[in-house]
Amino acid sequence: MAAAAEELLDTPQAAAQDRPPTFFQTTMGKRIAVGGGVAIILAIMVAVWMWSQAPEYRVLFANYSDRDGGAITASLDQMGVPYKFSDGGNAILVPAEQIHDLRLKLAAQGLPKGGNVGFELMENQKLGVSQFLEQVNYQRSLEGELARSIQSLGSVSNARVHLALPKPSVFVRDQQKPTASVLLNLQPGRALDPGQVSAIVHLVASSVPELTIGNVTVVDQNGNLLSDTSNKQAGAKQLDPTQLKYIDQVQQNIIKQVESIIKPIVGEGNVRAEATAEVDFAQVDTAAEMYKPNSPPEPQAIRSQQTSESSQAGAGPSGIPGALSNQPPGVNTAPIEGQQPPAPAQAAGGPTSKNSTTNYEVDKTIRYEQRPMGGIKRLTVGVVVNHRRIVDPATGKVTVRPLSANEVAQINELVKQAMGYNQARGDTLNVANVPFEGVDKPAEAIQPLAWWADPANFPLFKEIARYAFVAAVIAFLYFRFLRPLLRPAIKKFDEATAMPEEEKKDEDEEDAAAEAEAEAEAVQEEEVEQQRRAQGYRANLQMAQDLAKEDPRIVANVIKAWLGTNE
C-alpha cells in the first residue's frame, strides 16, 4: 500500500521533468529576453533624459478668435516653431526662450487682429456690390474700429460696439438721431471710474455724425449700466473725481511743503502735518459800470458847446445913466447843481438875448472780472512736533524735553509762510508740541530671508530638483536592471580580450574561486530543496496512509485503475 501511494505521488513530478523546455528557457530565448530588456531600459533612460531637456512652454496668446488662432498657427508653422495648445484650446504655448521674439514677429504681421474687423473690410469690395451691402460693411467697419479703440484702455479686455444708424430723410419730422450701445468685458479685478466711462461715451459720440452723448449706452459684462444719465442734473452739483483729485493734490502739496521746512529743525520722523483745503470750483464772471459825482468844470473835458445870441434894433437908451449902464455883459456859464445863471445886462442900444450851452463828459467806469475755478477759499492746517531728544555723550542716556516758546513761535511763522497763510481769507493754523509714542524706540532691523526661503531662488531649486530626479532615475535603471543584464556579455568580452599572464592567472583564480563558491551555493541549495521535497513526501505519504485506513475502497479503486481491471 505504501509503495502504491509513493508511486502515485512521484508520477506528477516525473511528468514535469519530462516536459520539453519553453522558448525562453533555451539559449536563443534567453538572449532575446536579455536584448529586449536592455532595449527597454535604454529607451526608458533616453526618454527620461529627453524629458529633462525638453523646453519649458509658456502662453503666447490666449482668448483669441478662431480666425486669429488659425493665422497664428500657420505663421508658427512657416517659422518652424513648435507649439501646443492648453486650456481646452484657448491658449497657444511656445518655448519660453522664444516667446518675446515671436510676439514681436507676429505683431509685425498684424496678429492677432482681434475678433472685430475694421476698415480693412472696405479694401476687398467687389465690383457690383449693392448700396445696402456697402452701408452694412461701412457700419461693421466703424463698429470694429471703435471697439479696437476702446480695447486699448488698460481696464478693458474686450469690447463690442453696436450702432443704430437711421436712414436719412428729407422730412424734418421723420428724422431720427443715431444711437450706440457699448458692451465692455473688463479685466479681472478692474473697474471703470465715472471719468473713464465719460471718456468712452465722448469717444463714441465724437466718431459718429449727429450722435449725442445721451444716446450712448455703456454696459459691462455683469449687466451693470455704467452710463446712467438720469441723474446728470443732480450730479452736476456734486464734485466729480477730477475735482476731488485736485483737492487731494492741493492738500498733499501743502503737507509736503510744511514737513519739508520743519524736518531740518526737529529731525526726520519728528513732525506730522495735515491740511484741509476748501476749494471754490464756481466760475464767476462780473461786469460793473460805475459813475462818479460831478466835479468842478475846470478839469472836465468838454463834450459839446452851443452858443446863440439875438438883439433888437431901434430901441432907445434905457437904464440909469452912469458907469453901470455902460458895463459889458458877463460871461455865460453852464448851471452847476441847480444854480440859476445871472441875468444878462441889457445893452444900452436895445434889448439883446444870448444863450450858451456846454456839455461835459460824464465819468463812467466799466469793469469786467472773470474769476477762474479752483481758487482756495480757506485753509486749515494742523502740525504736531515731537519733543526734542537730547543724548548725553558721556553716558549715552536719552532725555526728552519740550520745545521752548521761541522755537514754537519760529515753527509757527515758518508754517505760515510755507502754507501761504491769509488771515483775511479765514485760514487757521495750530502747531502742537507733544511727545510721540514709539518714535524714540529703536527700529527693529528687518531680518533677511534665508537662502532657502527666498522666492528669487525658487526657479534654481526647481532646476536642481529636476536634474537630480533625472540622475536618480537613470542611476536606478542602470545599477538595478541594465548592469545585471549586461554582466554576462561584459564577462565574455573580458575573456576574449588579451590580458597579461599574471593578471590572467589572478583572474582565473578569482573566477575559480567564484565558480567554487557558486557550486557550493548550488549544492547547498540542492540539499535544501531535497530536504524540502523529503518533508513534502513524508507529509503526502502520511496523508495517503491515513486515507487508506479511513476508506480502503478509494485505494482499491486506484490500484484497479493502475492494473486495468474493472473488478
Side-chain angles (χ1 to χ4, degrees):
M1 182 66 67
E6 184 177 357
E7 184 180 357
L8 176 63
L9 295 173
D10 290 341
T11 301
Q13 296 179 359
Q17 293 178 357
D18 294 338
R19 291 177 183 174
T22 60
F23 175 75
F24 289 102
Q25 292 179 351
T26 61
T27 304
M28 181 63 69
K30 291 179 180 180
R31 292 179 180 179
I32 293 176
V34 171
V38 171
I40 293 174
I41 294 172
L42 289 176
I44 294 175
M45 295 174 66
V46 171
V48 172
W49 175 255
M50 292 179 64
W51 172 80
S52 65
Q53 299 298 322
E56 182 182 1
Y57 281 79
R58 291 186 180 179
V59 177
L60 178 64
F61 293 111
N63 297 326
Y64 46 82
S65 62
D66 295 340
R67 181 177 299 177
D68 286 343
I72 292 172
T73 54
S75 181
L76 293 177
D77 290 335
Q78 291 179 358
M79 291 185 287
V81 178
Y83 62 89
K84 57 184 180 179
F85 299 95
S86 68
D87 194 14
N90 293 329
I92 299 177
L93 305 180
V94 295
E97 63 273 7
Q98 302 182 15
I99 186 170
H100 301 292
D101 187 23
L102 291 176
R103 284 180 180 175
L104 293 177
K105 291 181 179 179
L106 293 175
Q109 300 177 10
L111 296 174
K113 298 180 180 179
N116 301 313
V117 292
F119 281 110
E120 65 271 9
L121 187 63
M122 308 297 294
E123 298 176 357
N124 300 323
Q125 290 290 336
K126 298 180 180 179
L127 184 63
V129 67
S130 64
Q131 184 178 3
F132 173 76
L133 188 57
E134 246 181 31
Q135 183 66 25
V136 169
N137 290 338
Y138 171 74
Q139 183 172 343
R140 288 182 58 194
S141 304
L142 185 58
E143 292 175 351
E145 293 294 335
L146 288 173
R148 289 178 181 177
S149 300
I150 297 173
Q151 288 176 7
S152 61
L153 298 178
S155 300
V156 180
S157 174
N158 192 12
R160 293 194 65 184
V161 179
H162 303 280
L163 299 177
L165 304 178
K167 295 181 179 179
S169 176
V170 295
F171 300 100
V172 178
R173 68 180 66 179
D174 295 337
Q175 290 181 356
Q176 297 179 0
K177 298 294 183 180
T179 58
S181 302
V182 181
L183 177 62
L184 302 179
N185 189 3
L186 303 180
Q187 298 284 358
R190 298 288 189 89
L192 295 178
D193 55 27
Q196 292 175 321
V197 175
S198 178
I200 294 174
V201 170
H202 283 76
L203 173 66
V204 177
S206 303
S207 303
V208 181
E210 299 182 1
L211 177 59
T212 59
I213 298 175
N215 290 338
V216 179
T217 304
V218 181
V219 183
D220 63 2
Q221 72 272 20
N222 297 322
N224 299 322
L225 181 61
L226 303 180
S227 60
D228 189 5
T229 59
S230 59
N231 296 327
K232 278 190 174 180
Q233 297 298 330
K237 299 179 181 179
Q238 301 176 358
L239 297 179
D240 58 15
T242 305
Q243 294 175 348
L244 295 175
K245 184 177 180 181
Y246 174 75
I247 294 175
D248 184 69
Q249 289 179 352
V250 171
Q251 296 176 166
Q252 294 299 326
N253 289 336
I254 294 175
I255 294 172
K256 184 178 179 181
Q257 292 172 1
V258 171
E259 291 184 350
S260 63
I261 200 172
I262 303 301
K263 281 180 182 178
I265 301 176
V266 298
E268 183 71 27
N270 292 320
V271 59
R272 299 288 188 275
E274 290 295 335
T276 302
E278 295 182 9
V279 183
D280 185 11
F281 290 101
Q283 188 174 0
V284 180
D285 297 336
T286 304
E289 186 174 353
M290 296 178 293
Y291 295 90
K292 294 182 179 180
N294 292 334
S295 302
E298 287 80 11
Q300 295 288 331
I302 298 175
R303 181 177 184 181
S304 62
Q305 187 175 10
Q306 182 178 3
T307 304
S308 62
E309 183 177 356
S310 61
S311 61
Q312 186 176 2
S318 60
I320 301 173
L324 294 176
S325 300
N326 297 327
Q327 294 291 333
V331 179
N332 294 330
T333 59
I336 299 175
E337 295 183 357
Q339 297 182 2
Q340 297 293 333
Q346 188 176 4
T352 302
S353 63
K354 186 176 182 181
N355 297 323
S356 178
T357 303
T358 303
N359 297 322
Y360 297 94
E361 292 289 349
V362 180
D363 290 341
K364 181 176 69 171
T365 302
I366 300 177
R367 183 180 64 186
Y368 295 97
E369 181 181 1
Q370 183 177 6
R371 289 188 299 171
M373 59 186 301
I376 298 177
K377 297 172 60 177
R378 187 170 178 267
L379 287 178
T380 302
V381 179
V383 182
V384 181
V385 183
N386 190 18
H387 285 181
R388 189 176 297 278
R389 302 170 66 251
I390 301 176
V391 182
D392 190 356
T395 61
K397 185 178 180 181
V398 179
T399 58
V400 180
R401 67 171 181 83
L403 301 178
S404 63
N406 293 332
E407 291 175 336
V408 174
Q410 183 181 11
I411 292 175
N412 198 344
E413 292 298 327
L414 289 175
V415 173
K416 286 184 178 180
Q417 296 295 328
M419 64 176 283
Y421 181 82
N422 188 354
Q423 186 176 3
R425 192 171 54 191
D427 296 348
T428 58
L429 171 64
N430 187 8
V431 178
N433 180 218
V434 294
F436 286 6
E437 181 66 25
V439 175
D440 298 330
K441 297 180 181 179
E444 297 181 359
I446 300 176
Q447 297 295 335
L449 293 175
W451 62 270
W452 51 267
D454 190 359
N457 296 329
F458 288 169
L460 178 61
F461 297 158
K462 183 179 178 182
E463 291 296 325
I464 293 175
R466 182 179 180 180
Y467 286 108
F469 173 75
V470 172
V473 171
I474 293 177
F476 173 78
L477 293 175
Y478 175 76
F479 289 104
R480 182 65 179 82
F481 298 102
L482 186 60
R483 186 177 179 182
L485 292 175
L486 295 178
R487 186 175 295 170
I490 295 174
K491 185 177 180 181
K492 292 181 180 181
F493 178 78
D494 293 339
E495 291 177 354
T497 304
M499 299 176 62
E501 294 296 332
E502 297 179 356
E503 295 181 359
K504 190 172 182 180
K505 290 180 180 179
D506 296 337
E507 186 175 359
D508 293 340
E509 293 177 358
E510 293 178 357
D511 293 340
E515 291 178 358
E517 184 179 358
E519 290 178 357
E521 292 179 356
V523 171
Q524 185 178 1
E525 291 179 358
E526 184 66 24
E527 293 177 355
V528 172
E529 182 65 22
Q530 290 178 359
Q531 292 177 1
R532 185 181 63 79
R533 290 180 180 178
Q535 292 177 357
Y537 170 75
R538 293 190 186 96
N540 295 333
L541 180 61
Q542 183 65 32
M543 183 179 65
Q545 291 176 357
D546 295 340
L547 181 62
K549 290 178 182 181
E550 294 177 358
D551 195 353
R553 294 182 180 180
I554 296 177
V555 178
N557 293 332
V558 172
I559 295 175
K560 288 180 181 180
W562 290 349
L563 297 175
T565 60
N566 295 328
E567 298 177 359

